């Protein structure tokens, strides 16, 4: 039986709507672990809360304590281009942690960890390909991730121009870095809840619907593995 770890920031209502009441709920390391039993897999879901630090800690918990053989992160994001309109769903091929900067010390360009050749931290290519086989309309996206909520067209366009990123959010860098370090495959599916001209108001209005659309795609990929 495959053990899957799923991590969400603010989208737990979508999990409960799709999977219902958990078979068990335990509190470990300050996080609530919701356990589900599926056909051929065991699923642990953590509602990590917002931000890279919480996301990294929750991903490590899923791997080290729950024995997750696959990490799935789904959730809502901001769109950085006109193409990334409301409710557009993507599979993330790489993440850039754009506010990480050690350049004054080691001459790495801003956003790049010394252990990676570029600022772009890859997810698992085979899982990206699997998602696109199941959903050919999915775009492979670059995600700009950092501990800040990006609002307004100018700030969003600047991120796109600097890194070629399609979307932005606040958890994926912590998730992908942790999974890669542990050698655990990682699938990241995101849906746009606020477009390039949107901000907090649009996000608040659309977060629920966007999360449900996103989880439907992530769930289908999980079940196909």
């Amino acid at each position: 039986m495959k053990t899957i770890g799923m991590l969400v920031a603010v989208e737990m209502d979508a999990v409960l709507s799709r999977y219902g009441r958990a078979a068990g709920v335990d509190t470990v390391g300050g996080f609530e672990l919701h356990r589900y039993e599926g056909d051929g897999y065991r699923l642990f879901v953590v509602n990590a809360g917002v931000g890279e630090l919480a996301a990294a800690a929750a991903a490590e918990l899923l791997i080290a304590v729950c024995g997750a053989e696959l990490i799935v992160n789904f959730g809502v994001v901001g769109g950085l281009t006109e193409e990334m309109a409301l409710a557009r769903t993507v599979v993330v091929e790489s993440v850039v942690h754009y506010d990480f900067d050690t350049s004054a010390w080691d001459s790495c360009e801003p956003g790049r960890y010394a252990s990676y050749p570029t600022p772009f931290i890859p997810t698992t290519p085979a899982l990206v390909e699997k998602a696109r086989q199941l959903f050919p309309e999915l775009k492979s996206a670059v995600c700009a991730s950092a501990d800040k909520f990006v609002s307004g067209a100018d700030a969003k366009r600047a991120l796109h121009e600097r890194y070629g990123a399609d979307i932005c959010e606040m958890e994926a860098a912590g998730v992908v870095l942790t999974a890669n370090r542990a050698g655990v495959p990682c699938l990241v599916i995101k849906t746009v809840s606020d477009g390039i001209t949107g901000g907090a108001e649009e996000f608040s209005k659309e977060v629920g619907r966007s999360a449900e659309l996103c989880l439907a795609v992530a769930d289908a990929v999980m079940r196909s593995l």
Side-chain angles (χ1 to χ4, degrees), residues 16 19-25 33-36:
L16 297 174
Y19 298 123
R21 184 177 179 180
V25 179
L33 282 173
H34 296 250
R35 186 178 73 256
Y36 295 89

Side-chain angles (χ1 to χ4, degrees), residues 101-121:
D101 186 357
T102 60
S103 59
W105 166 53
D106 59 9
S107 300
C108 281
E109 63 268 44
R112 180 164 80 85
Y113 286 77
S115 56
Y116 289 89
T118 75
F120 302 99
I121 305 161

Side-chain angles (χ1 to χ4, degrees), residues 1-184:
M1 178 177 286
K2 181 178 286 293
T3 300
I4 300 173
M6 178 180 284
L7 186 151
V8 301
V10 297
E11 299 87 359
M12 196 64 193
D13 285 348
V15 172
L16 297 174
S17 177
R18 174 164 289 271
Y19 298 123
R21 184 177 179 180
V25 179
D26 300 301
T27 300
V28 182
F31 293 103
E32 279 194 350
L33 282 173
H34 296 250
R35 186 178 73 256
Y36 295 89
E37 301 287 342
D39 184 16
Y41 67 88
R42 180 183 298 109
L43 174 65
F44 289 94
V45 183
V46 174
N47 187 14
V50 176
E52 305 290 356
L53 295 177
E60 180 63 22
L61 175 70
L62 289 168
I63 294 167
V65 176
C66 301
E69 303 163 81
L70 166 67
I71 294 295
V72 176
N73 174 223
F74 85 92
V76 297
V77 296
L80 300 181
T81 67
E82 301 293 346
E83 181 186 10
M84 291 294 107
L86 186 65
R88 180 71 186 268
T89 301
V90 301
V91 56
V92 174
E93 64 180 7
S94 64
V95 179
V96 56
H97 191 185
Y98 63 90
D99 66 351
F100 179 80
D101 186 357
T102 60
S103 59
W105 166 53
D106 59 9
S107 300
C108 281
E109 63 268 44
R112 180 164 80 85
Y113 286 77
S115 56
Y116 289 89
T118 75
F120 302 99
I121 305 161
T123 59
T124 304
L127 294 176
V128 174
E129 182 61 26
K130 170 62 74 172
R132 297 198 67 196
Q133 287 174 358
L134 291 173
F135 299 93
E137 71 278 11
L138 282 184
K139 177 183 173 64
S140 297
V142 175
C143 177
S145 189
D147 279 319
K148 58 181 72 176
F149 186 95
V150 182
S151 183
D154 289 346
K156 290 181 176 182
R157 287 195 177 98
L159 268 181
H160 171 69
E161 290 169 4
R162 184 173 184 182
Y163 294 107
D166 305 285
I167 57 174
C168 63
E169 51 84 86
M170 299 177 63
E171 290 80 34
V175 175
V176 178
L177 279 165
T178 302
N180 286 359
R181 181 170 293 172
V184 174

